[in-house]
Amino acid sequence: MRDLVTSVFLRGITAPEAMAMDDGAAIPWGDKWLVVTTDAHVVSPVEFPGGDIGRLSVCGVVNDLAMMGATDVLALTSAVIVEEGFDLARLSRLSESARRASDEASAPILAGDTKVMRRGELDGIVLSTSGLAVAERVVRDAGMRVDDAIVVTGTIGDHGLAVLAARERLGLDGALVSDVAPLNGLVRTALAAVGDAIHAMKDPTRGGVVSALSEMATKAGVAVHLSAQAIPMSAPVRAASELLGIDPLWVANEGKALIVVERDAVEPLLRALRDHPLGRDAAAIGHVAAGEPGALLLDTGFGTRRLFERDGEPLPRIC
Amino acid sequence: MSGARPLELRDVERGRKLRERLARAVERAGREITVMHVCGSHEQAMARYGLRQSLPRALRVQMGPGCPVCVTDAPEIDAVITLAEAGHLVLTYGDMLRVPGRAGSLDDARAAGARVEVIYSATQALERARATRDPVIFFATGFETTAVATAAILLQAPPDNLFVYSAHKWVPAAMEVVACSPGSRIEGYLAAGHAATITGYGVFEPFVAAHQRPVVVAGFEPLDILAGLVSLVDLVARGEPRVVNAFPRCVSREGNRRALDALRRVFRAGDGEWRGIACVPGGELQLRDAYAAWDAMRRFEDLLERAPERAERVDARDCRCGAIMTGLAEPTDCAHFGVACRPESPIGACMVSSEGPCRIWLEHRVAPPRPAAHEGDAP
């Protein structure tokens, strides 16, 4: 996907803010910053345990803004493209769910647009959402420094496995629940607790923790060491991932942040995060080190292995 | 599954002690020891926990023909693609999707408009067939473990629009081929715990008697693998050819009788080609005549016979998958490894599945891929 963006969409683009390929772009605004971002969402099924595409579209944008330190959302816009014949009651539920998420995040949806496409021209529904927010200080995903600690704000793998289990009707329902949630409140708490000690943030969505950390480490020209024992994971996620042969480290999250922080600030940061309902399982999972830029090393307790980004959907294995 | 059990079996401290025991056992032997595991899940677990890097240098653990996806033969895939292209619905396990036949994969056929769907269990094939009147073809792949699941649906009076294309394979038969292959330096075998849960460890006794090489049945948690290797190295060093069950919490001598009974009622062992390896006598699980009505090979015989033979990709001819799976070569010995042959564009089957040795080595960088020929050339 990143290759596609670089080779097609970034051709001829010279604006540094776009070239940075961060979660959003920051524009100076008085002594503060305006951060703008946009996100398109497709998901199957559109309703899944723990959320739906409406909630996902709002949280996706709010979280991208929050990862840049922009936690006060001025406005969201929402474009809905829907297939002819899409169930109206379901459409109302999705809209209501998006509105609830926008309330939770204090992120008002102020403009919108709707298009209907003919049956078969679209698989159900596509949502495209943009957002505008204010940051006191912009946090970049490229800011990792050697010796920084890496904190994850909670358990990993919940969203991707919940959606996979629902889509493929694996009969694992009930236990697997998406974590989709707006993170701007949690990030505000983190920034209030340790401020400038936070050097970088990113939400580990598609491609999971591995993809997010690889990208951050590549941009910063550093390596990352993780400890497998420290990575928080719910029992159902652990069980489902073993069953399916899918490693949660590569699975999407929609309500978690990776926060790169000065080592001395880890304890106060963890205390602040754990006091917030969305950060109860926050944990320090590794550190930044000098080394091959972008390299990710996992200490399993039995040995060390390198983690690499993977293309495409994870496929469950046979036995 | 109990919540605590997997974690208990990943206890780091016990792992350290077992690694020390393994190092001492190899040291006592005073020479290089070569063993083989016969299961993709073992290779995957070793890579996942970084075990390979922490093994004693004098212990060589080679990969055997243990990846079901890798040994499914190209003509079998071609045949199923032919059925899909003819407009029939084909159901397959996910990791078969991208495996290249001689020309293209099921995924390619799907992209070109054929109806290919991924399922996660044989039961889903049964449900899918019950929900329609059209033919539903289940591409049944895998070893003893998944073959039992296929047998189970055929024993449940399935609807007459369900057709099974069996590419199931029987692992013990392939071990014979490996043990007999000239140039093999294998002194002992680590057998797959889940397959032995079905077959019982007794299935390896004739093998051990014939080849005078020990077999240790091991599970897939890191402690299982380390304990299995300690036991295997001890047996090799002492020259003691016997079967040891290092996975007693799941495996018995007799195996799962109900499962074995189902397997025997539905399948008979025939000779069959294992991709890149050889024709393995007794290595193919074919549907018995009593199940001919559900046998896709028989039901669509005309269609399959009429299909023109597909030409093999030129670069697939020097693919080393066969040598890799018989322990005669390592992924890095292949010129395509990590260069032209990658998970997103595999040439050989070993690069496709998460249990394929090449895929595992590349994704975990067990060894670096060879540089492309043009790299490093002076400008």
Side-chain angles (χ1 to χ4, degrees), chain B residues 84-129:
Chain B
E85 285 173 348
H88 298 303
L89 173 63
V90 165
L91 308 178
T92 175
Y93 292 129
D95 41 6
M96 282 309 302
L97 201 58
R98 293 191 197 127
V99 185
R102 276 171 298 194
S105 64
L106 280 165
D107 202 24
D108 297 332
R110 178 167 76 165
R115 289 170 70 209
V116 179
E117 289 179 13
V118 169
I119 55 168
Y120 296 84
S121 71
T123 318
Q124 284 181 310
L126 189 61
E127 287 164 4
R128 204 71 181 74

Side-chain angles (χ1 to χ4, degrees), chain A residues 164 168-170 229 238 242 244 247 300-306 308 310-311 313 315-319, chain B residues 7 10 12 15 19 41 44 47-50 54 94-95 120 124 141 146 222-223 354-355 363-365:
Chain A
L164 178 75
E168 308 298 345
R169 295 188 209 96
L170 296 181
Q229 263 78 26
R238 195 184 293 278
E242 295 285 333
L244 298 169
D247 194 321
T300 68
F302 293 87
T304 303
R305 64 181 264 218
R306 260 190 85 162
F308 292 90
R310 292 176 187 163
D311 284 332
E313 284 260 305
L315 291 176
R317 64 200 166 99
I318 284 186
C319 59
Chain B
L7 300 178
R10 288 171 198 176
V12 172
R19 280 210 306 277
S41 297
Q44 199 196 34
R48 180 172 166 198
Y49 293 100
S54 68
D95 41 6
Y120 296 84
Q124 284 181 310
T141 48
T146 49
L223 295 186
S354 58
E355 294 190 19
E363 288 196 335
H364 298 89
R365 296 298 200 279

Side-chain angles (χ1 to χ4, degrees), chain A residues 236-254:
Chain A
V237 162
R238 195 184 293 278
S241 66
E242 295 285 333
L243 211 62
L244 298 169
I246 292 175
D247 194 321
L249 280 166
W250 279 268
V251 171
N253 309 273
E254 292 292 346

Side-chain angles (χ1 to χ4, degrees), chain A residues 89-136:
Chain A
R90 171 174 268 197
L91 193 60
S92 304
R93 282 202 302 277
L94 298 178
S95 166
E96 171 63 19
S97 168
R99 198 190 52 70
R100 267 202 309 274
S102 101
D103 285 350
E104 275 173 56
S106 304
I109 302 172
L110 296 183
D113 187 35
T114 308
K115 290 280 179 292
V116 177
M117 292 185 78
R118 273 181 302 205
R119 199 182 278 270
E121 289 181 352
L122 178 76
D123 186 10
I125 186 167
V126 178
L127 292 183
S128 174
T129 312
S130 298
L132 190 64
V134 184
E136 303 277 334

Side-chain angles (χ1 to χ4, degrees), chain B residues 265-342:
Chain B
R265 277 168 63 193
V266 172
F267 293 106
R268 63 186 164 81
D271 304 344
E273 200 69 37
W274 285 43
R275 186 172 194 157
I277 298 175
C279 177
V280 176
E284 191 92 4
L285 294 175
Q286 300 162 351
L287 291 180
R288 288 188 185 276
D289 291 343
Y291 296 91
W294 293 280
D295 188 343
M297 284 183 206
R298 296 187 230 198
R299 167 66 177 77
F300 299 102
E301 195 176 358
D302 291 349
L303 183 61
L304 294 171
E305 297 237 308
R306 278 203 314 276
E309 191 156 312
R310 290 165 201 259
E312 191 175 34
R313 275 175 68 167
V314 174
D315 51 7
R317 288 180 198 150
D318 45 358
C319 164
R320 304 289 309 275
C321 282
I324 291 164
M325 285 185 293
T326 42
L328 300 174
E330 292 187 333
T332 40
D333 296 331
C334 179
H336 295 313
F337 175 72
V339 185
C341 185
R342 302 187 56 82

Side-chain angles (χ1 to χ4, degrees), chain A residues 9 36 53 55 139 214 217 278 298-299 303 305-307 312 319:
Chain A
F9 297 109
V36 63
I53 195 170
R55 182 171 176 81
V139 180
S214 296
L278 291 176
L298 179 74
D299 177 359
R305 64 181 264 218
R306 260 190 85 162
L307 307 174
C319 59

Side-chain angles (χ1 to χ4, degrees), chain A residues 35-94:
Chain A
V35 178
V36 63
T37 194
T38 189
D39 218 342
H41 283 95
V42 286
V43 64
S44 169
V46 296
E47 294 173 289
F48 46 82
D52 54 55
I53 195 170
R55 182 171 176 81
L56 194 60
S57 70
V58 167
C59 297
V61 167
V62 167
N63 294 350
D64 279 352
L65 295 168
M67 293 309 117
M68 299 196 63
T71 54
D72 296 324
V73 184
L74 300 175
L76 298 179
T77 73
S78 173
V80 182
I81 307 170
V82 69
E83 186 184 13
E84 184 185 26
F86 192 85
D87 180 52
L88 209 55
R90 171 174 268 197
L91 193 60
S92 304
R93 282 202 302 277
L94 298 178

